[in-house]
PDB file of all heavy atoms in Angstrom:
ATOM      1  N   ARG B  10     120.862 118.647  64.709  1.00 44.00           N
ATOM      2  CA  ARG B  10     120.132 117.474  64.065  1.00 44.00           C
ATOM      3  C   ARG B  10     121.196 116.470  63.650  1.00 44.00           C
ATOM      4  O   ARG B  10     120.997 115.258  63.855  1.00 44.00           O
ATOM      5  CB  ARG B  10     119.262 117.914  62.941  1.00 44.00           C
ATOM      6  CG  ARG B  10     118.175 116.972  62.633  1.00 44.00           C
ATOM      7  CD  ARG B  10     117.093 117.556  61.780  1.00 44.00           C
ATOM      8  NE  ARG B  10     116.290 118.608  62.343  1.00 44.00           N
ATOM      9  CZ  ARG B  10     115.971 119.630  61.616  1.00 44.00           C
ATOM     10  NH1 ARG B  10     116.343 119.907  60.422  1.00 44.00           N
ATOM     11  NH2 ARG B  10     115.237 120.638  62.276  1.00 44.00           N
ATOM     12  N   ALA B  39     104.621  93.990  72.984  1.00 97.00           N
ATOM     13  CA  ALA B  39     103.580  94.188  73.893  1.00 97.00           C
ATOM     14  C   ALA B  39     102.371  94.915  73.167  1.00 97.00           C
ATOM     15  O   ALA B  39     102.428  95.860  72.569  1.00 97.00           O
ATOM     16  CB  ALA B  39     103.976  95.043  75.087  1.00 97.00           C
ATOM     17  N   SER B  54     107.821  97.196  71.014  1.00 95.00           N
ATOM     18  CA  SER B  54     109.083  96.693  71.613  1.00 95.00           C
ATOM     19  C   SER B  54     110.038  97.891  71.880  1.00 95.00           C
ATOM     20  O   SER B  54     110.290  98.797  71.002  1.00 95.00           O
ATOM     21  CB  SER B  54     109.735  95.765  70.559  1.00 95.00           C
ATOM     22  OG  SER B  54     108.949  94.698  70.377  1.00 95.00           O
ATOM     23  N   LYS B 149     113.021 112.401 105.850  1.00 96.00           N
ATOM     24  CA  LYS B 149     112.948 112.286 104.502  1.00 96.00           C
ATOM     25  C   LYS B 149     111.745 113.089 103.909  1.00 96.00           C
ATOM     26  O   LYS B 149     111.969 113.762 102.771  1.00 96.00           O
ATOM     27  CB  LYS B 149     112.905 110.904 103.927  1.00 96.00           C
ATOM     28  CG  LYS B 149     114.241 110.168 103.940  1.00 96.00           C
ATOM     29  CD  LYS B 149     114.165 108.880 103.336  1.00 96.00           C
ATOM     30  CE  LYS B 149     115.529 108.191 103.149  1.00 96.00           C
ATOM     31  NZ  LYS B 149     115.408 106.704 102.823  1.00 96.00           N
ATOM     32  N   ASP B 161     105.731 124.390 102.795  1.00 95.00           N
ATOM     33  CA  ASP B 161     104.857 125.281 103.637  1.00 95.00           C
ATOM     34  C   ASP B 161     103.429 124.823 103.522  1.00 95.00           C
ATOM     35  O   ASP B 161     102.444 125.441 104.101  1.00 95.00           O
ATOM     36  CB  ASP B 161     104.926 126.706 103.325  1.00 95.00           C
ATOM     37  CG  ASP B 161     104.672 127.039 101.903  1.00 95.00           C
ATOM     38  OD1 ASP B 161     104.683 126.067 101.089  1.00 95.00           O
ATOM     39  OD2 ASP B 161     104.469 128.200 101.550  1.00 95.00           O
ATOM     40  N   GLN B 176     100.033 117.918  91.702  1.00 94.00           N
ATOM     41  CA  GLN B 176     100.897 117.310  90.894  1.00 94.00           C
ATOM     42  C   GLN B 176     102.349 117.227  91.563  1.00 94.00           C
ATOM     43  O   GLN B 176     102.895 116.120  91.495  1.00 94.00           O
ATOM     44  CB  GLN B 176     100.963 118.071  89.629  1.00 94.00           C
ATOM     45  CG  GLN B 176     101.805 117.341  88.474  1.00 94.00           C
ATOM     46  CD  GLN B 176     101.391 117.828  87.044  1.00 94.00           C
ATOM     47  OE1 GLN B 176     101.059 118.883  86.863  1.00 94.00           O
ATOM     48  NE2 GLN B 176     101.269 116.874  86.234  1.00 94.00           N
ATOM     49  N   PHE B 184     109.347 109.930  94.445  1.00 96.00           N
ATOM     50  CA  PHE B 184     110.752 109.721  94.573  1.00 96.00           C
ATOM     51  C   PHE B 184     111.297 109.698  95.941  1.00 96.00           C
ATOM     52  O   PHE B 184     112.319 109.574  96.233  1.00 96.00           O
ATOM     53  CB  PHE B 184     111.542 110.964  93.869  1.00 96.00           C
ATOM     54  CG  PHE B 184     111.483 112.262  94.510  1.00 96.00           C
ATOM     55  CD1 PHE B 184     112.309 112.539  95.434  1.00 96.00           C
ATOM     56  CD2 PHE B 184     110.604 113.182  93.900  1.00 96.00           C
ATOM     57  CE1 PHE B 184     112.408 113.774  96.066  1.00 96.00           C
ATOM     58  CE2 PHE B 184     110.681 114.388  94.564  1.00 96.00           C
ATOM     59  CZ  PHE B 184     111.539 114.720  95.573  1.00 96.00           C
ATOM     60  N   PRO B 202     105.600 127.469  82.969  1.00 88.00           N
ATOM     61  CA  PRO B 202     106.929 127.031  82.393  1.00 88.00           C
ATOM     62  C   PRO B 202     107.973 127.179  83.426  1.00 88.00           C
ATOM     63  O   PRO B 202     108.901 126.197  83.374  1.00 88.00           O
ATOM     64  CB  PRO B 202     107.119 128.233  81.239  1.00 88.00           C
ATOM     65  CG  PRO B 202     105.756 128.521  80.977  1.00 88.00           C
ATOM     66  CD  PRO B 202     104.832 128.527  82.129  1.00 88.00           C
ATOM     67  N   VAL B 232     111.008 118.894  75.411  1.00 88.00           N
ATOM     68  CA  VAL B 232     111.808 117.672  74.910  1.00 88.00           C
ATOM     69  C   VAL B 232     113.002 118.005  74.080  1.00 88.00           C
ATOM     70  O   VAL B 232     114.058 117.602  74.166  1.00 88.00           O
ATOM     71  CB  VAL B 232     110.818 116.765  74.204  1.00 88.00           C
ATOM     72  CG1 VAL B 232     111.557 115.619  73.455  1.00 88.00           C
ATOM     73  CG2 VAL B 232     109.697 116.334  75.038  1.00 88.00           C
ATOM     74  N   TYR B 256     124.308 116.270  74.120  1.00 54.00           N
ATOM     75  CA  TYR B 256     124.165 116.531  75.459  1.00 54.00           C
ATOM     76  C   TYR B 256     125.320 115.943  76.141  1.00 54.00           C
ATOM     77  O   TYR B 256     125.740 114.823  75.963  1.00 54.00           O
ATOM     78  CB  TYR B 256     122.807 116.166  76.140  1.00 54.00           C
ATOM     79  CG  TYR B 256     122.589 114.660  76.400  1.00 54.00           C
ATOM     80  CD1 TYR B 256     122.984 114.040  77.452  1.00 54.00           C
ATOM     81  CD2 TYR B 256     121.976 114.003  75.365  1.00 54.00           C
ATOM     82  CE1 TYR B 256     122.747 112.708  77.743  1.00 54.00           C
ATOM     83  CE2 TYR B 256     121.762 112.645  75.587  1.00 54.00           C
ATOM     84  CZ  TYR B 256     122.087 111.952  76.777  1.00 54.00           C
ATOM     85  OH  TYR B 256     121.811 110.723  76.898  1.00 54.00           O
ATOM     86  N   ARG B 268     120.654 126.290  81.007  1.00 80.00           N
ATOM     87  CA  ARG B 268     120.474 126.082  79.543  1.00 80.00           C
ATOM     88  C   ARG B 268     118.946 126.109  79.198  1.00 80.00           C
ATOM     89  O   ARG B 268     118.621 126.628  78.275  1.00 80.00           O
ATOM     90  CB  ARG B 268     121.260 124.754  79.178  1.00 80.00           C
ATOM     91  CG  ARG B 268     121.180 124.501  77.621  1.00 80.00           C
ATOM     92  CD  ARG B 268     122.081 123.425  77.335  1.00 80.00           C
ATOM     93  NE  ARG B 268     121.730 122.151  77.977  1.00 80.00           N
ATOM     94  CZ  ARG B 268     120.748 121.242  77.547  1.00 80.00           C
ATOM     95  NH1 ARG B 268     119.961 121.719  76.620  1.00 80.00           N
ATOM     96  NH2 ARG B 268     120.474 120.233  78.208  1.00 80.00           N
TER      97      ARG B 268
END
Side-chain angles (χ1 to χ4, degrees):
Chain B
R10 204 170 286 143
S54 295
K149 283 187 175 171
D161 54 345
Q176 187 151 45
F184 74 79
V232 173
Y256 70 90
R268 182 169 59 77

